[in-house]
């Protein structure tokens, strides 16, 4: 399995040459970033992808929607970092994964139909790019999030977070998704690759303008001096996963 980070997907969207991404995998956080789902406000999204799509068939169909989908129509992860950083939410972790894997263009079109027309056009081009390249999407699971907290703890003991902390957290989530799937991750983030090499003695190789980090079990060996940190528990860092409550 080859997992792509957001920078690689964005680069390939702009420039078709180079690394072939067809059939690769993106974590849900990459889809959320690439499809501009995250809003600047900590507990809002720019739009929401509902999970209970059977509702639309039962109630007369998706075409009857006359207002944006409600945030309660989708799943949600609330990340809490104690006093270190204000809590924020990630919406549609499972919703966006289902939509991409099922290539549900119709649902996506209705999810974004109340945004400004230029944004709608941009997003339609982006979702078509994901579909055309046959990319599959993996949601973040509890094991991925728990591992991410552990690695974030280790990361911050060595490096500073980016100016926008959420970008650092998203990078760690991508790294842990690849790690837990014993996958290869293709990234342009040199700091992330350096950190991975410090924690896991696996292979890291240049590939075009990016870096390949191999977390397959045959290439992965955890550094004896860098065992997983559990300090994040004492910091009061935690998360909550909430299911969709109702469709509208």
């Amino acid at each position: 399995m080859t997992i792509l980070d957001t920078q690689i997907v964005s680069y390939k969207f702009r420039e078709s040459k180079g690394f072939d991404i067809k059939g690769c995998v993106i974590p849900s956080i990459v889809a959320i970033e690439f499809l501009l789902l995250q809003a600047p406000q900590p507990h809002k999204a720019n739009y929401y992808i509902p999970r209970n799509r059977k509702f639309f068939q039962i109630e007369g169909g998706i075409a009857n929607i006359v207002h944006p989908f409600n945030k309660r129509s989708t799943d949600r992860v609330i990340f809490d970092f104690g006093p270190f950083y204000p809590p924020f939410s990630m919406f549609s972790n499972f919703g966006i994964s289902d939509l991409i894997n099922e290539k549900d263009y119709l649902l996506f079109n209705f999810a974004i139909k109340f945004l400004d027309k230029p944004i709608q056009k941009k997003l339609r081009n982006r979702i078509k790019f994901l579909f055309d390249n046959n990319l599959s999407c993996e949601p973040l699971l509890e094991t991925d999030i728990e591992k991410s907290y552990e690695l974030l703890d280790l990361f911050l003991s060595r490096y500073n977070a980016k100016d926008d902390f959420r970008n650092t957290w998203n990078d760690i989530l991508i790294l842990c998704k690849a790690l837990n799937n014993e996958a290869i991750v293709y990234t342009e983030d040199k700091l992330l690759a350096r950190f991975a090499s410090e924690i896991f003695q696996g292979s890291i190789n240049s590939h075009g303008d990016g870096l390949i980090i191999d977390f397959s079990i045959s290439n992965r060996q955890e550094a004896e001096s860098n065992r997983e940190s559990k300090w994040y528990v004492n910091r009061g860092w935690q998360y909550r996963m909430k299911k969709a409550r109702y469709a509208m």
Side-chain angles (χ1 to χ4, degrees):
M1 177 188 294
T2 299
I3 288 178
L4 310 175
D5 76 357
T6 310
Q7 291 174 310
I8 294 296
V9 175
S10 298
Y11 170 77
K12 288 296 295 183
F13 179 66
R14 298 189 306 267
E15 176 58 67
S16 60
K17 294 186 295 184
F19 182 69
D20 184 7
I21 66 170
K22 289 186 182 298
C24 290
V25 176
I26 56 174
S28 57
I29 188 59
V30 171
I32 287 167
E33 289 187 295
F34 182 68
L35 296 172
L36 310 179
L37 199 146
Q38 291 186 154
Q41 301 92 333
H43 296 291
K44 289 185 178 181
N46 291 321
Y47 57 95
Y48 303 96
I49 306 296
R51 291 215 72 198
N52 187 12
R53 276 169 282 179
K54 290 182 180 179
F55 172 89
F56 305 118
Q57 299 172 357
I58 294 170
E59 297 296 329
I62 195 169
N64 292 334
I65 295 170
V66 294
H67 56 75
F69 294 125
N70 190 288
K71 67 169 63 176
R72 294 183 179 87
S73 70
T74 194
D75 60 284
R76 177 182 184 185
V77 185
I78 303 171
F79 298 117
D80 191 336
F81 300 91
F84 174 72
Y85 193 84
F88 57 87
S89 298
M90 180 180 75
F91 290 93
S92 301
N93 172 40
F94 290 97
I96 197 68
S97 301
D98 292 344
L99 184 147
I100 290 172
N101 293 335
E102 296 172 19
K103 292 183 169 59
D104 196 339
Y105 182 82
L106 181 64
L107 179 61
F108 185 77
N109 194 44
F110 276 95
I112 66 173
K113 69 177 290 189
F114 298 96
L115 300 176
D116 291 341
K117 296 297 183 182
I119 297 296
Q120 288 188 47
K121 182 178 179 180
K122 178 186 291 187
L123 292 176
R124 290 190 188 102
N125 288 337
R126 291 189 175 206
I127 197 69
K128 184 176 183 299
F129 169 79
L130 299 182
F131 292 167
D132 288 348
N133 281 280
N134 198 31
L135 298 182
S136 59
C137 187
E138 291 273 343
L140 295 172
L141 306 178
E142 291 192 40
T143 52
D144 303 318
I145 296 171
E146 289 169 2
K147 173 68 74 174
S148 295
Y149 272 114
E150 293 169 0
L151 288 198
L152 176 68
D153 197 12
L154 290 171
F155 180 87
L156 294 177
S157 71
R158 292 164 169 77
Y159 305 105
N160 294 323
K162 295 177 180 177
D163 291 340
D164 185 345
F165 169 73
R166 291 175 72 167
N167 290 335
T168 293
W169 179 236
N170 291 348
D171 292 342
I172 295 292
L173 289 170
I174 296 166
L175 182 68
C176 286
K177 191 64 186 177
L179 180 63
N180 283 345
N181 280 274
E182 298 176 357
I184 294 169
V185 60
Y186 189 29
T187 178
E188 288 187 343
D189 194 323
K190 294 180 180 178
L191 179 58
L192 192 70
R194 187 193 314 164
F195 173 65
S197 70
E198 292 172 353
I199 303 303
F200 297 97
Q201 305 301 302
S203 63
I204 299 177
N205 300 296
S206 297
H207 188 93
D209 294 327
L211 297 166
I212 295 287
I213 308 173
D214 191 345
F215 284 128
S216 61
I217 196 67
S218 61
N219 285 283
R220 199 178 88 197
Q221 179 182 352
E222 188 172 350
E224 200 61 34
S225 61
N226 291 319
R227 292 181 182 273
E228 295 173 359
S229 169
K230 294 291 184 180
W231 192 31
Y232 78 92
V233 176
N234 297 325
R235 289 178 184 244
W237 294 358
Q238 57 187 325
Y239 68 94
R240 285 182 294 153
M241 301 186 81
K242 302 181 71 173
K243 296 181 180 180
R245 292 179 60 187
Y246 56 84
M248 296 299 287

